[in-house]
Amino acid sequence: MNKTKPTFDVKKNPNPVTGEQRELLLANPGWGRVFTDHMVTMRYSEDRGWQDWRIEPRKALDLDPATSVLHYALEIFEGMKAYRLPDGGATLFRPHANARRFRNSAERLAMADLPEDLFVESVRALVCIDREWIPSAQGAALYLRPFMIGTEVALGTKPSCDYIFCVIASPVASYFKGDGPAVTLWVSENFTRAAPGGTGAAKCGGNYAASLAAQAEGLREGCEQVVFLDAVERRWVEELGGMNVFFVFEDGSLQTPPLGGTILPGITRESLITLGRHMGLTVREERYSIDQWQEDARSGRLTEAFACGTAAVVTPIGKVKGRTHGFTVGDGKAGPVTQRLKAALTDIQFGRADDKHGWLDRLF
Ligand code: PLP
Ligand code: COI
């Protein structure tokens, strides 16, 4: 691991949002629409490496119209949160896991390697300068979006020589609108998300762009998220547009699709596998077909299902719809195992339970 500690050139926002305005925004932040006063930026060039580390007022990026990200989607990102602790302090959750995944995403897209410590220090620095923006309402947090774009001005299809790494922050409440008991999923039969050898395991903007036609179809059908099937046989459940998926069976066991290069290795997923096993539950990482899911939901063998991710936290799945599928999971509401796992995870993240696994990175 690279031990470089960046020294940021700090330029404080001369016109930050007033305390009063901020309180109003924090009272109802929605998801991903309110932003803090600052951002972190770093630049990379092939000959000089990472340099020009800055914390500065949040502002628009100035890009030449021939910049590579605008043409070939040379973009990767991460999603993580800073949580307000009961004593008024704040913590990150497993930031090095995000930093590692970011490096893997960069490698897959032939982008510049950003050492883990630079990534983590950048995120810590932004949260510290914008600490007043960490919400304290139940379940709310400061969402952090580190991302990197290729900035070489060239239209040739080749890896970029120049990059910008940037971190922005957004106070967020629940990802799903409304207070429905559970989300409804649309089974995407027309579109797949990722194929073997593709970029499914990387967190790159292109994956999300490619998922939006399916998401639009799902929204038209009254569904909140899309469940993607594998691209080869079109039968194995992979993941949702922006979250991993778990199944709970009547014997109390849990199952989640295995990582195999086509789904995102979620940090929430991995944490829940660990927490489930610590609770004494059997957790399998095995393939599960959409037809089996329907059959098990109808027979009662499957009792619960939930989505998980940084944005979604743990969200129960109530109904599944598609051109050739339609079923309700359990009673269509959050089941007991889902609720127990959600409580176990969020109690650690918000500092209400012992951090037995050493997952927290306390900031202040
Ligand atoms: N799968 C996809 C496609 C995602 O976008 C996300 C969200 O980041 C996840 C899974 C869950 O990953 P994590 O738990 O690391 O947030
Ligand atoms: C996250 O949970 O951090 C994500 O990136 C998912 C988001 C794209 C909805």
Side-chain angles (χ1 to χ4, degrees):
M1 195 190 302
N2 185 304
K3 290 280 166 212
T4 321
K5 192 154 179 157
T7 311
F8 291 99
D9 180 6
V10 181
K11 189 165 156 217
K12 281 205 130 190
N13 191 327
N15 296 305
V17 168
T18 65
E20 205 178 324
Q21 282 171 322
R22 193 177 54 239
E23 287 315 312
L24 277 176
L25 291 167
L26 287 178
N28 193 8
W31 205 93
R33 293 192 178 271
V34 171
F35 298 96
T36 64
D37 295 308
H38 298 91
M39 66 184 197
V40 165
T41 55
M42 284 190 216
R43 279 158 203 276
Y44 175 94
S45 67
E46 229 164 37
D47 45 336
R48 297 178 59 204
W50 288 106
Q51 18 115 26
D52 203 8
W53 302 329
R54 292 188 196 177
I55 297 176
E56 55 190 325
R58 186 176 178 281
K59 65 173 184 352
L61 299 174
D62 189 14
L63 297 177
D64 185 281
T67 304
S68 52
V69 62
L70 301 177
H71 300 271
Y72 306 122
L74 272 178
E75 192 265 358
I76 57 169
F77 68 96
E78 270 303 321
M80 51 208 289
K81 282 174 173 169
Y83 301 87
R84 180 69 74 190
L85 296 169
D87 64 3
T91 188
L92 297 174
F93 181 73
R94 308 188 65 187
H96 280 278
N98 293 92
R100 266 194 302 280
R101 189 168 67 187
F102 197 70
R103 291 188 69 190
N104 293 340
S105 299
E107 191 180 4
R108 177 63 186 82
L109 272 84
M111 294 173 76
D113 182 44
L114 179 70
E116 269 180 41
D117 284 357
L118 285 189
F119 177 102
V120 174
E121 283 303 328
S122 305
V123 172
R124 285 182 185 142
L126 183 63
V127 177
C128 287
I129 197 161
D130 280 336
R131 61 178 66 196
E132 308 292 341
W133 286 92
I134 308 172
S136 39
Q138 170 83 19
L142 185 62
Y143 185 78
L144 300 154
R145 175 52 68 86
F147 64 98
M148 192 204 299
I149 56 173
T151 51
E152 187 173 344
V153 177
L155 293 182
T157 49
K158 63 165 198 66
S160 176
C161 292
D162 306 310
Y163 295 90
I164 293 179
F165 170 71
C166 184
V167 191
I168 54 172
S170 170
V172 294
S174 166
Y175 185 71
F176 291 104
K177 285 196 207 83
D179 275 328
V183 290
T184 301
L185 304 186
W186 175 250
V187 185
S188 175
E189 290 174 23
N190 293 337
F191 305 104
T192 57
R193 179 184 172 275
T199 56
K203 204 160 167 61
C204 57
N207 287 344
Y208 298 80
S211 77
L212 295 181
Q215 179 71 16
E217 194 178 73
L219 289 172
R220 283 195 298 274
E221 301 289 340
C223 301
E224 283 109 328
Q225 271 280 305
V226 170
V227 52
F228 286 100
L229 305 178
D230 77 288
V232 178
E233 295 182 61
R234 304 276 183 124
R235 56 190 284 237
W236 304 109
V237 175
E238 298 232 293
E239 63 177 327
L240 312 190
M243 45 214 74
N244 293 116
V245 62
F246 275 81
F247 309 99
V248 184
F249 295 90
E250 60 181 345
D251 63 1
S253 66
L254 285 163
Q255 187 162 329
T256 190
L259 302 178
T262 55
I263 71 173
L264 193 79
I267 293 156
T268 318
R269 173 190 179 278
E270 195 192 76
S271 307
L272 291 171
I273 291 174
T274 302
L275 291 173
R277 289 187 178 144
H278 272 259
M279 286 174 183
L281 303 175
T282 299
V283 188
R284 293 179 298 275
E285 292 179 74
E286 280 172 24
R287 298 201 295 185
Y288 194 53
S289 72
I290 186 68
D291 291 342
Q292 192 68 49
W293 187 2
Q294 175 161 276
E295 193 182 314
D296 291 346
R298 287 181 178 166
S299 73
R301 183 175 164 258
L302 177 106
T303 52
E304 304 173 36
F306 60 85
C308 69
T310 301
V313 192
V314 170
T315 300
I317 297 167
K319 288 198 173 95
V320 180
K321 286 165 58 175
R323 289 197 207 301
T324 55
H325 295 90
F327 55 94
T328 300
V329 176
D331 61 2
K333 303 195 184 102
V337 177
T338 304
Q339 292 182 48
R340 219 173 129 208
L341 283 164
K342 179 175 180 180
L345 177 72
T346 54
D347 282 353
I348 295 174
Q349 291 171 330
F350 286 95
R352 296 184 294 255
D354 266 3
D355 176 24
K356 291 197 187 106
H357 306 280
W359 285 339
L360 300 190
D361 181 64
R362 189 169 177 132
L363 298 172
F364 51 86

